[in-house]
């Protein structure tokens, strides 16, 4: 009997190893599923997948992808990883999709989704989601994925927002206004820090993070027809006020001059971990990253609060996130793409990376979103504002990035930089 038990245990262990080996065979750096599977789908993705630079996230995604492909026999998914230059990657993918050489399925950044819908390269996904699931999406999300014909053309699975992170030991009280943040940043320099860090280099993060200061005043980038109006009338005044706010942070020393070259949120994590900054404007997802990076006693010193506004009552924060959309003309591939969005990202993907869900149902489903921090992030979404879903937005963003570089380095006055940005945007709008 003892021999039978041993044989049984060995058989169990062998089965486990065989299962593990089988799972390993089902996922490689650029493929999920058997290499000889007859049906292939190409999926272009960001770091939100098995190639995530965080080993824990990568392993969790590998398991979800393997579980997924085992439920879809006969398929293999070819993974195409985007670089971190998201703006360039999305522009390239749009041109490929227009020419019919794009991927079958892909991650589409929410801020350029309108461009893809306007180009007519995305396939409708309504039949793969119930009306109740669509209705449960946050309004700005539902609006963002819906085309002029009322159909949805992608599934927006994760959203985010920006907050002010601070080291409580250095900055005990949360700054609530622009002036309070400036004072706190300068005070932190007296304690050996480099002041508040913000994105200021040539990338989308610079525009998006700064826009909170424009939106907090009620500023509008475009009118109801999608025409750029940010340099007109009251919008011009609000725009310049927000630009001058960032310029003053640098000129006063409250922010280091190097912010004009920052193009990656990872720099904030690195500075916080190294103890060289006590303040930065970052994304909600960075809280989990700081927890993974810091020793517990150091992480305990950090907290977050809403982005300060010109006054305590004027607040805003940008809400973004990623969608999954289908480009293929093959109905089977469109169905599999929708399944990827639904079964891998909307729920499991949110949980793995603590990416804020886009629907109440998923918020309520996972315990991780019941934490005090994630409840606070969810509450802060009330001040959230998405980028306008209009074709001209990417050019507006591009010109704001150029403008910010010119202003923060002193190459142009805010007025001259705004006029140059507006001229370029209006010229681009006339060509649409």
């Amino acid at each position: 009997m003892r021999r039978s038990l041993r044989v049984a245990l060995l058989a169990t262990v062998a089965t486990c190893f065989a299962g593990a080996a089988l799972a390993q065979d089902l996922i490689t750096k650029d493929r999920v599923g058997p290499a000889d599977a007859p049906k292939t789908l190409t999926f272009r993705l960001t770091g939100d997948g098995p190639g995530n630079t965080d080993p824990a996230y990568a392993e969790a995604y590998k398991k979800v992808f393997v579980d997924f492909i085992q439920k879809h026999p006969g398929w293999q998914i070819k993974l195409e990883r985007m670089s971190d230059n998201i703006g360039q990657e999305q522009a390239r993918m749009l041109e490929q999709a227009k020419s019919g050489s794009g991927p079958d399925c892909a991650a589409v950044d929410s801020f350029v989704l309108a461009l893809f819908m306007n180009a007519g390269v995305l396939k409708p996904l309504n039949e793969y989601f119930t009306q109740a699931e669509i209705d449960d999406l946050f309004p700005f999300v539902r609006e963002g994925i819906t085309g002029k014909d009322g159909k949805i053309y992608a599934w927006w699975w994760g959203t985010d927002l920006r907050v002010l992170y601070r080291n409580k030991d250095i900055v005990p009280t949360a700054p609530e206004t622009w002036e309070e943040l400036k004072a706190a940043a300068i005070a932190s320099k007296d304690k050996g820090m480099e002041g508040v860090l913000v994105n200021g280099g040539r990338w989308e993060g610079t525009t998006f993070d700064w826009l909170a200061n424009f939106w907090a005043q009620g500023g509008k980038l475009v009118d109801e027809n999608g025409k750029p109006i940010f340099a007109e009338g009251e919008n011009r005044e609000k725009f310049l006020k927000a630009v001058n706010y960032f310029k003053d942070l640098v000129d006063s020393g409250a922010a280091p001059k190097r912010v004009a070259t920052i193009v990656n949120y990872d720099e904030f994590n690195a500075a916080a971990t190294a103890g060289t900054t006590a303040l930065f404007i970052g994304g909600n997802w960075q809280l989990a990253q700081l927890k993974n990076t810091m020793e517990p006693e150091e992480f305990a010193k950090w907290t977050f609060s809403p982005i300060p506004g010109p006054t305590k009552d004027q607040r805003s924060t940008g809400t973004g996130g990623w969608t999954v959309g289908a480009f293929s003309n093959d109905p089977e591939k469109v169905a599999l793409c929708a399944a990827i969005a639904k079964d891998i990202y909307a729920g499991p993907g949110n949980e793995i990376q603590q990416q804020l869900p886009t629907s109440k149902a998923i918020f309520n489903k996972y315990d991780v979103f019941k934490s005090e921090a994630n409840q606070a992030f969810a509450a802060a979404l009330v001040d959230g504002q998405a980028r306008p879903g209009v074709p001209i937005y990417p050019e507006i963003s591009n010109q704001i990035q150029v403008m910010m570089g010119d202003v923060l380095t002193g190459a142009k006055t805010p007025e001259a930089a705004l006029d140059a940005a507006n001229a370029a945007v209006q010229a681009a709008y006339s060509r649409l």
Side-chain angles (χ1 to χ4, degrees):
M1 183 161 180
R2 290 177 62 186
R3 183 176 181 280
S4 298
L5 178 61
R6 184 166 178 266
V7 170
L9 287 172
L10 288 173
T12 300
V13 171
T15 300
C16 289
F17 273 109
L22 178 62
Q24 288 299 318
D25 290 342
L26 286 176
I27 189 162
T28 67
K29 182 179 179 182
D30 55 9
R31 172 178 51 77
V32 183
D36 58 354
K39 295 186 285 189
T40 300
L41 175 132
T42 55
F43 178 44
R44 192 170 297 176
L45 71 169
T46 64
D48 298 331
N52 194 290
T53 55
D54 185 311
Y57 292 168
E59 285 305 311
Y61 270 118
K62 285 179 182 176
K63 182 180 185 311
V64 174
F65 269 82
V66 168
D67 288 347
F68 177 84
I69 205 65
Q70 288 177 326
K71 295 175 183 174
H72 296 274
W75 283 96
Q76 59 172 303
I77 302 173
K78 297 285 189 183
L79 302 177
E80 300 176 353
R81 172 74 189 273
M82 298 180 198
S83 71
D84 290 337
N85 191 335
I86 296 302
Q88 189 177 80
E89 290 282 1
Q90 296 286 294
R92 180 171 70 98
M93 189 165 70
L94 177 57
E95 292 308 310
Q96 290 175 334
K98 287 179 178 176
S99 66
S101 60
D104 298 317
C105 178
V108 181
D109 202 326
S110 58
F111 85 94
V112 292
L113 187 58
L115 279 179
F116 284 78
M117 290 196 292
N118 194 53
V121 295
L122 289 166
K123 306 304 177 188
L125 298 180
N126 291 69
E127 65 181 287
Y128 309 106
F129 296 89
T130 67
Q131 191 58 48
E133 289 172 330
I134 296 171
D135 290 343
D136 196 41
L137 293 169
F138 295 141
F140 75 88
V141 172
R142 188 168 58 248
E143 181 181 340
I145 63 174
T146 303
K148 295 177 181 176
D149 58 2
K151 297 178 181 177
I152 63 168
Y153 284 88
W155 193 253
W156 191 335
W157 63 273
T159 189
D160 50 39
L161 73 158
R162 274 63 178 166
V163 294
L164 173 66
Y165 285 92
R166 76 177 198 280
N167 182 322
K168 293 178 290 186
D169 277 9
I170 307 297
V171 184
T173 304
E176 296 188 73
T177 66
W178 293 352
E179 283 302 316
E180 288 180 6
L181 176 57
K182 177 183 173 182
I186 292 175
S188 76
K189 290 185 66 179
D190 296 336
K191 299 179 181 178
M193 303 289 132
E194 60 175 343
V196 61
L197 298 183
V198 298
N199 278 303
R202 185 83 182 268
W203 81 304
E204 172 63 19
T206 290
T207 296
F208 196 30
D209 296 0
W210 169 82
L211 276 174
N213 302 295
F214 177 57
W215 286 331
Q217 304 171 69
K220 302 291 183 185
L221 290 175
V222 298
D223 66 14
E224 61 276 11
N225 297 315
K227 180 185 176 185
I229 56 170
F230 60 87
E232 300 174 5
E234 291 183 357
N235 288 317
R236 180 182 178 86
E237 295 176 21
K238 294 168 182 173
F239 197 96
L240 286 173
K241 187 175 179 180
V243 174
N244 276 305
Y245 163 50
F246 262 33
K247 180 178 186 296
D248 184 50
L249 288 178
V250 174
D251 290 350
S252 66
K257 294 184 184 300
R258 77 179 183 93
V259 297
T261 63
I262 293 180
V263 292
N264 195 318
Y265 291 100
D266 291 345
E267 289 202 38
F268 306 152
N269 292 345
T273 302
T276 58
T277 188
L279 291 160
F280 67 87
I281 303 290
N284 64 287
W285 66 89
Q286 289 183 265
L287 187 67
Q289 292 174 342
L290 292 178
K291 186 176 183 180
N292 290 341
T293 305
M294 293 177 166
E295 295 297 329
E297 61 273 20
E298 290 301 313
F299 176 69
K301 297 176 182 176
W302 284 84
T303 188
F304 63 90
S305 57
I307 295 175
T311 69
K312 292 182 179 180
D313 297 328
Q314 291 177 298
R315 295 288 179 82
S316 185
T317 183
T319 51
W322 283 91
T323 77
V324 173
F327 300 105
S328 176
N329 291 319
D330 182 341
E332 277 196 283
K333 292 184 178 182
V334 175
L336 192 71
C337 183
I340 288 174
K342 193 168 188 174
D343 299 339
I344 292 180
Y345 286 101
N350 295 114
E351 183 183 38
I352 289 170
Q353 292 184 268
Q354 295 193 37
Q355 295 259 23
L356 297 178
T358 54
S359 73
K360 295 175 186 174
I362 294 179
F363 250 112
N364 295 332
K365 181 178 179 180
Y366 293 92
D367 287 341
V368 67
F369 295 114
K370 297 173 184 173
S371 70
E372 183 178 347
N374 280 323
Q375 288 293 310
F377 285 135
L381 283 173
V382 70
D383 292 324
Q385 183 157 337
R387 287 157 284 193
V390 294
I392 194 60
Y393 175 76
E395 183 58 20
I396 293 176
S397 172
N398 181 47
Q399 292 303 324
I400 288 177
Q401 295 164 37
V402 174
M403 176 205 69
M404 198 61 72
D406 287 341
V407 171
L408 296 185
T409 59
K412 288 182 180 176
T413 65
E415 291 78 7
L418 171 55
D419 289 340
N422 185 47
V425 169
Q426 297 297 344
Y429 183 71
S430 68
R431 296 192 294 270
L432 289 179

